[in-house]
């Protein structure tokens, strides 16, 4: 009887999950109209009931169900100046950063979707389990424990190629509806932007920039769900205004004492003159319509078939009999329902079959309006090259200052000291030869130290191993010197241009240093490939993650170096890791010169610690 009691308690707890699902649906509808602050607390509350279910299942069903959620986001840290930083944005208080991280964490966690499916499907299964427990007692409880572990336990990442047909197409149907929901949210924000632009254009810039977060979400999720990538089409924002020689700030024909208004006017003009802003607004009106049209076949066919199955096998035997599901004839017996079921299943399959294709068409239409055009790409390229030119100029000036400072404070001081000691040697060589010999020995040691320091300085400018052996061997040499376990794989036929080699080499050095110092990593994988005129460097570590390009000057340096060659630098580092950095630089390769057989008596050249015979350093 104890097993029966426990089964009915679990069934009662399961019925409450329908309440959670209903509240979550209401919170999602509020999210769609812009009231975003209700969704996260509702999900947190529902997770509390799921945790209680996992606890009871582990205690009563003797099946442990581990917590499936990803590691929670880290708490924001206050900077030295008292502000909280999130990317390039500063905040006086931490609540917005905390809420935003938690919202992203919940939305991107696959366990959230599985938990919602469990809340919808669990009550009938739990009731059936409670009834079966009368006959099978503890065995029925274990069935329920396995069911709960399947839905509320951790799942390894599924290989898309190994998913079953029903799983893939059901998932695609969900993606169709999710794209439609995001498009409706985009429609609401587009209408609000249009009203503000027409009625109060000078203050429209913050609203438009803030609303681009919604559009970016639609771009990102459509790419994740369907594989149709949608790039951001926006032009880079204007820089800070530069004062004139008289200390005033100029915008057009108007002068200002403070930079606030010139900056606001520049941002307003930047937003209103960007074609992508108006394309977003047009897309906000068209994408929901097209998504709804493409989703209608799925909605109609799935709705008709699922309702028909419920009518034939739930409504007829338990509620009312006979039943009729239009246009099928009326049935009142199991045999009649069994005869109509294949037709309903055929319609169900017909509704699921095109979902993947339809979802991809929805994303492709969104890309037409939310992606960059050729003119936009050209404008972005010009702006990026202009910014890269500025960054390269600044970086070169800083590097020259560093070299000058190292020469002035290091080598020059040693040479001055050596000159003074030479004068002392000249003065002592006749009167005190022994003291002159000691000074000469010190001079020899000082000259060796100066030469070593000079070599290190030259190596910092351009490592000799990079010039002599190329990028791959230079990276392997760095891997051998790293305290981490570094695996290097390379597929780079020939040598790439020397400036590109230096860019990739110093980027790998910086990333390995960050993984050792800040990431707490133990293993790092470095991949070097060259194909289709693009050098691609991927560095992945198993550290704690949480790296942000906006917070690290070294990462920004990599970005600037890549930008100088029209390359890109991407960083993915969620809390808990792993961290993956991808550097892509367009370049061509040249074949390596043939290696001549060295003469037997000739001495071997000095070589750094490199391994050319193995792919693993």
């Amino acid at each position: 009887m104890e097993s029966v009691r426990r089964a009915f308690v679990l069934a009662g707890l399961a019925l409450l999950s329908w309440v959670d699902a209903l509240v979550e649906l209401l919170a999602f509808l509020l999210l769609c109209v812009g009231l975003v602050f209700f969704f996260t607390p509702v999900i947190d509350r529902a997770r509390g009931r799921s945790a209680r279910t996992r606890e009871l299942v582990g205690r009563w069903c003797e099946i442990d169900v581990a917590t499936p959620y990803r590691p929670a986001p880290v708490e924001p840290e206050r900077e030295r100046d008292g502000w909280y930083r999130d990317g390039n944005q500063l905040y006086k208080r931490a609540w917005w950063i905390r809420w935003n991280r938690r919202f992203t964490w919940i939305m991107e966690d696959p366990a959230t979707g599985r938990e919602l499916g469990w809340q919808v499907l669990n009550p009938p299964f739990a009731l059936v389990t409670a009834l079966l427990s009368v006959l099978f007692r503890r065995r029925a409880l274990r069935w329920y424990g396995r069911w709960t572990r399947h839905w509320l336990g951790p799942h390894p990442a599924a290989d898309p190629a190994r998913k079953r047909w029903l799983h893939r197409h059901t998932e695609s149907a969900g993606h169709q509806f999710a794209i439609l929901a995001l498009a409706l949210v985009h429609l609401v924000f587009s209408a609000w932007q249009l009203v503000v632009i027409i009625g109060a254009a000078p203050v429209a810039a913050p609203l438009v920039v803030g609303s681009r977060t919604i559009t970016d979400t639609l771009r990102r999720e459509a790419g994740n769900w369907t594989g149709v990538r949608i790039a951001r089409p926006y032009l880079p924002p204007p820089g800070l205004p530069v004062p004139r020689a008289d200390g005033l700030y100029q915008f057009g024909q108007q002068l200002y004492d403070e930079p606030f208004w010139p900056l606001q006017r520049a941002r307003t003009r930047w937003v209103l003159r960007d074609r992508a802003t108006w394309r977003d607004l047009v897309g906000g009106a068209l994408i929901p319509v097209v998504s709804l049209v493409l989703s209608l076949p799925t909605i109609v066919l799935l709705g008709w078939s699922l309702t028909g199955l419920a009518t034939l096998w739930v409504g007829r035997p338990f509620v009312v009999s006979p039943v009729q599901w239009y246009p099928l004839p009326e049935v009142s017996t199991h045999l009649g329902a069994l005869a109509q079921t294949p037709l309903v299943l055929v319609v169900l399959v017909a509704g699921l079959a095109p979902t993947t294709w339809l979802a991809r068409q929805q994303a492709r239409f969104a890309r037409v309006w939310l992606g960059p055009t050729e003119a936009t790409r050209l404008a972005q390229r010009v702006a990026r090259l202009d910014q890269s030119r500025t960054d390269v100029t600044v970086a070169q000036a800083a590097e020259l200052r560093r070299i000058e400072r190292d020469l002035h404070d290091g080598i020059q001081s040693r040479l001055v000291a050596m000159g003074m000691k030479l004068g002392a040697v000249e003065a002592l060589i006749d009167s005190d030869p022994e003291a002159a010999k000691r000074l000469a020995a010190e001079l020899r040691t000082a000259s060796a130290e100066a030469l070593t320091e000079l070599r290190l300085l030259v190596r910092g400018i351009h490592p000799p191993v990079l010039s002599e052996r190329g990028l791959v061997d230079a990276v392997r040499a760095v891997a051998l010197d790293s305290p981490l376990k570094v695996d290097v794989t390379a597929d780079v036929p020939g040598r790439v241009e020397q400036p590109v080699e230096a860019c990739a080499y110093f980027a790998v050095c910086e990333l390995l240093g960050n993984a050792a110092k800040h990431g707490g990593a133990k293993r790092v994988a470095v991949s070097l490939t060259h194909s289709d005129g693009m050098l691609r460097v991927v560095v992945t570590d198993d550290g704690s993650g949480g790296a942000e390009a906006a917070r690290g000057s070294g990462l920004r340096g990599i970005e600037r170096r890549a930008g100088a060659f029209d390359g890109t630098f991407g960083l993915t580092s969620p809390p808990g890791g792993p961290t993956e950095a991808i550097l892509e630089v367009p370049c061509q390769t040249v074949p390596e010169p043939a290696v001549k057989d060295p003469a037997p008596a000739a001495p071997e050249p000095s070589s750094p610690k490199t391994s050319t015979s193995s792919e693993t350093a």
Side-chain angles (χ1 to χ4, degrees):
M1 292 303 295
E2 183 64 18
S3 300
V4 176
R5 186 189 68 81
R6 291 175 176 177
F8 274 95
V9 170
L10 289 174
L13 190 61
L15 287 175
L16 293 178
S17 64
W18 270 349
V19 178
D20 291 333
L22 179 61
V23 175
E24 288 172 8
L25 177 61
L26 293 175
F28 180 74
L29 294 177
L30 293 175
L31 175 69
C32 293
V33 297
L35 302 176
V36 298
F37 295 102
F38 298 97
F39 191 74
T40 304
V42 167
I43 295 295
D44 281 337
R45 181 175 175 277
R47 285 187 172 184
R49 199 184 307 281
S50 301
R52 178 63 175 166
T53 303
R54 278 192 291 269
E55 178 189 347
L56 292 180
V57 166
R59 190 190 309 166
W60 291 348
C61 305
E62 299 177 355
I63 292 180
D64 293 331
V65 185
T67 304
Y69 311 120
R70 291 177 176 176
V74 296
E75 283 292 312
E77 296 182 2
R78 188 191 292 269
E79 302 281 345
R80 292 181 178 177
D81 55 2
W83 292 76
Y84 293 91
R85 178 172 178 172
D86 187 27
N88 291 330
Q89 189 72 34
L90 295 177
Y91 297 90
K92 190 64 178 177
R93 302 185 185 282
W95 70 270
W96 171 255
I97 303 175
R98 187 182 298 112
W99 179 87
N100 195 24
R101 289 180 181 178
R102 196 163 186 83
F103 179 80
T104 305
W105 170 58
I106 287 177
M107 292 296 288
E108 294 182 352
D109 195 342
T112 303
R114 290 202 309 273
E115 199 165 88
L116 180 60
W118 174 82
Q119 290 166 356
V120 174
L121 301 177
N122 184 49
F125 189 86
L127 288 174
V128 172
T129 302
L131 296 176
L132 292 176
S133 64
V134 177
L135 300 176
F136 300 101
R137 300 181 184 278
R138 295 177 62 85
R139 189 179 300 176
L141 277 178
R142 292 189 65 82
W143 287 341
Y144 184 76
R146 296 191 186 97
W147 155 270
T148 304
R149 183 174 60 186
H150 172 75
W151 284 95
L152 295 185
H155 277 211
D159 184 2
R162 300 184 61 182
K163 290 181 180 177
R164 296 179 179 178
W165 184 92
L166 181 61
H167 186 185
R168 290 199 309 271
H169 288 78
T170 304
E171 199 172 64
S172 297
H175 294 162
Q176 269 196 279
F177 302 145
I179 292 176
L180 175 61
L182 287 175
L184 291 174
V185 177
H186 184 212
L187 171 62
V188 173
F189 278 85
S190 297
W192 177 235
Q193 289 177 64
L194 187 60
V195 170
V196 174
I197 288 175
I198 294 175
V203 297
L207 175 64
V208 173
V209 174
S211 300
R212 286 177 178 176
T213 305
I214 305 298
T215 316
D216 289 338
T217 302
L218 177 56
R219 292 190 185 95
R220 182 183 65 249
E221 299 304 332
N224 294 335
W225 294 335
T226 65
V228 179
R229 301 297 174 189
I230 306 176
R232 295 186 93 235
Y234 308 118
L235 296 176
L240 295 175
V242 179
R244 303 186 338 154
D246 55 2
L248 299 177
Y249 296 88
Q250 180 178 1
F251 185 87
Q253 298 179 349
Q254 184 68 39
L255 296 178
Y256 298 89
D257 295 329
E258 302 293 335
F260 177 78
W261 286 112
L263 178 61
Q264 298 305 316
R265 292 188 63 181
R267 289 178 64 83
T268 301
R269 186 171 67 175
W270 161 61
V271 166
L272 297 182
R273 291 190 176 183
D274 193 346
R275 295 181 180 178
T277 301
W278 302 101
R279 291 174 60 82
D280 281 356
L281 298 182
V282 176
L286 295 180
I287 294 172
V289 177
V290 175
S291 295
L292 180 61
V293 171
L294 292 175
S295 300
L296 274 180
T298 305
I299 296 173
V300 172
L301 294 177
L302 292 186
W304 187 88
S305 56
L306 292 176
T307 309
L309 287 175
T311 302
L312 292 175
W313 295 105
V314 178
R316 181 189 55 79
F318 298 106
V319 181
V320 62
S321 179
V323 296
Q324 182 179 11
W325 183 240
Y326 184 81
L328 302 178
E330 183 178 275
V331 295
S332 58
T333 62
H334 290 328
L335 186 61
L338 192 63
Q340 294 183 1
T341 299
L343 176 60
V344 178
L345 291 178
V346 167
V347 175
L348 177 65
V349 172
L352 288 175
T355 51
T356 303
W357 182 82
L358 290 172
R360 194 172 296 123
Q361 299 311 310
Q362 289 178 237
R364 285 176 178 169
F365 185 80
R367 184 173 60 182
V368 171
W369 290 101
L370 304 184
T373 61
E374 288 301 322
T376 305
R377 286 194 181 92
L378 180 60
Q380 286 180 327
R381 183 181 175 84
V382 171
R384 189 166 58 248
L385 289 176
D386 185 61
Q387 183 63 38
S388 299
R389 183 185 59 184
T390 304
D391 290 343
V392 168
T393 304
V394 174
Q396 284 182 341
E399 188 68 10
L400 286 175
R401 287 195 298 271
R402 183 187 70 82
I403 295 172
E404 181 183 1
R405 184 178 61 252
D406 291 347
L407 289 173
H408 181 272
D409 298 341
I411 302 298
Q412 181 175 333
S413 300
R414 288 183 180 276
L415 292 177
V416 170
M418 289 170 63
M420 296 176 65
K421 286 184 178 179
L422 280 174
V425 169
E426 288 178 354
L428 292 174
I429 194 167
D430 295 328
S431 59
D432 191 354
E434 294 299 325
K437 289 180 181 179
R438 288 196 299 271
L439 282 177
E442 293 178 3
L443 275 172
R444 186 166 57 251
T445 303
S447 66
E449 292 177 351
L451 183 61
T452 302
E453 188 172 342
L454 187 60
R455 283 174 175 169
L456 291 176
L457 180 61
V458 172
R459 181 172 297 179
I461 298 173
H462 193 83
V465 63
L466 188 61
S467 303
E468 298 171 3
R469 308 293 293 270
L471 175 62
V472 176
D473 283 345
V475 170
R476 285 175 177 149
V478 172
L480 287 174
D481 293 336
S482 173
L484 308 175
K485 177 65 176 177
V486 183
D487 297 328
V488 181
T489 57
D491 183 14
V492 183
R495 295 279 299 268
V496 297
E497 304 153 7
Q498 287 194 357
V500 177
E501 280 187 338
C503 170
Y505 172 80
F506 285 112
V508 172
C509 293
E510 179 71 27
L511 293 171
L512 288 180
N514 287 348
K517 289 188 295 184
H518 308 300
K522 296 181 180 179
R523 296 186 65 92
V524 179
V526 181
S527 171
L528 305 168
T529 58
H530 184 275
S531 62
D532 299 330
M534 182 73 73
L535 175 67
R536 180 181 173 87
V537 181
V538 182
V539 180
T540 307
D541 68 66
D542 61 351
S544 57
E548 294 183 21
R551 296 176 64 91
S553 58
L555 298 177
R556 285 283 297 129
I558 297 175
E559 198 171 16
R560 284 197 297 267
R561 288 194 193 100
F565 300 98
D566 200 18
T568 59
F569 175 70
L571 182 70
T572 304
S573 182
T579 298
E580 182 183 66
I582 301 177
L583 175 71
E584 292 182 330
V585 182
C587 63
Q588 299 298 324
T589 60
V590 294
E592 288 188 88
V595 179
K596 297 180 180 179
D597 295 334
E604 293 184 359
S606 60
S607 172
K609 292 190 295 181
T610 59
S611 173
T612 58
S613 60
S614 172
E615 292 297 328
T616 300

